Amino acid sequence: MPAEHEIGPWALSGSYLEACNCEAICPCRRIGGRQGGRSTYGICLGALSWQVVDGHAAGADLSGRRVVLVCRYDDDEAGSPWDFVLYLDDESDDRQRAALEAIYTGKAGGTPLKQFPWAFKPSRPAGVQVASIEIDHTPRKGWFRVGEDVTVRVAEPVADQEPVTCVIPGHHQTGLEVYVDEQRSSAPPIEYAFAGRCGYESTFAYSSHDK
């Protein structure tokens, strides 16, 4: 994996969709500008997806690449470390995968060290896998899938919501809280299945410049 000094300046932007087992609206988010707090059930299980529209790193064009992260953390465990599995799409080449792994694990530095909890908090990586990733971030009815391992499908937006923001795409980005009618992971050691829980859609822009 390239070190930060080897990857050089980098930038990514595109669309984002996540889902977790919290009840909507997820209490971890900022709602109406108010700081978020504990997850609904104390243990958070989720899946996050990014569709890169424009991106470059280490001389590689990252436009069109897809990334998914499956995660778990316990609010009551000291430091609430994140367990996670990182998926990189199988249509990327070795250089693209190395750059994306460096960025999404936080080793490339930059804005992820303020926005990715698994990078700025303790974490227990459970592996990086290359897989078939399908993503459709159509607003209000998006979905994504990682082979047979992960499925997330939006049902509808939460009605009459205050402004909601999430640290991962960034509190400076606008977004929309949604209900998810299908959310499943069989990615060991993070396995779950839920329906009717929360999701969040937004856009993202990350870079090596720590602004």
Side-chain angles (χ1 to χ4, degrees):
M1 180 190 304
E4 181 178 354
H5 70 278
E6 295 173 328
I7 199 173
W10 61 268
L12 299 177
S13 61
S15 57
Y16 175 82
L17 175 64
E18 69 162 69
C20 76
N21 65 315
C22 284
E23 300 292 342
I25 294 173
C26 180
C28 308
R29 310 199 210 286
R30 288 184 186 172
I31 305 169
R34 300 181 295 276
Q35 190 68 34
R38 289 174 58 89
S39 58
T40 303
Y41 299 103
I43 295 176
C44 185
L45 298 157
L48 326 174
S49 69
W50 297 262
Q51 174 68 62
V52 179
V53 175
D54 295 301
H56 63 84
D61 180 5
L62 301 178
S63 304
R65 301 282 53 86
R66 298 173 294 279
V67 178
V68 168
L69 185 139
V70 178
C71 54
R72 177 195 183 279
Y73 70 86
D74 184 337
D75 285 319
D76 295 318
E77 184 175 358
S80 61
W82 282 51
D83 299 287
F84 70 90
V85 179
L86 179 66
Y87 289 94
L88 306 176
D89 80 80
D90 61 3
E91 295 182 3
S92 56
D93 61 29
D94 289 344
R95 177 180 285 186
Q96 291 170 324
R97 290 172 194 161
L100 289 168
E101 181 177 347
I103 291 167
Y104 279 92
T105 57
K107 290 189 168 58
T111 50
L113 295 183
K114 290 184 176 179
Q115 293 179 235
F116 293 174
W118 59 95
F120 64 72
K121 294 172 60 176
S123 65
R124 293 181 292 243
V128 178
Q129 299 189 30
V130 177
S132 172
I133 300 177
E134 300 172 83
I135 290 178
D136 181 344
H137 284 172
T138 301
R140 300 170 179 260
K141 54 182 179 181
W143 59 271
F144 61 91
R145 180 166 52 237
V146 181
E148 298 298 319
D149 289 357
V150 183
T151 301
V152 168
R153 188 173 299 275
V154 171
E156 60 184 355
V158 174
D160 302 322
Q161 58 185 273
E162 297 181 80
V164 181
T165 62
C166 174
V167 66
I168 295 169
H171 290 301
H172 58 290
Q173 304 277 11
T174 59
L176 184 73
E177 189 80 0
V178 296
Y179 294 108
V180 174
D181 63 5
E182 183 180 8
Q183 177 187 348
R184 178 188 57 78
S185 169
S186 59
I190 307 170
E191 301 179 32
Y192 57 79
F194 302 101
R197 303 294 176 85
C198 74
Y200 184 76
E201 61 182 49
S202 185
T203 56
F204 71 89
Y206 309 134
S207 75
S208 53
H209 302 292
D210 185 9
K211 296 180 179 179

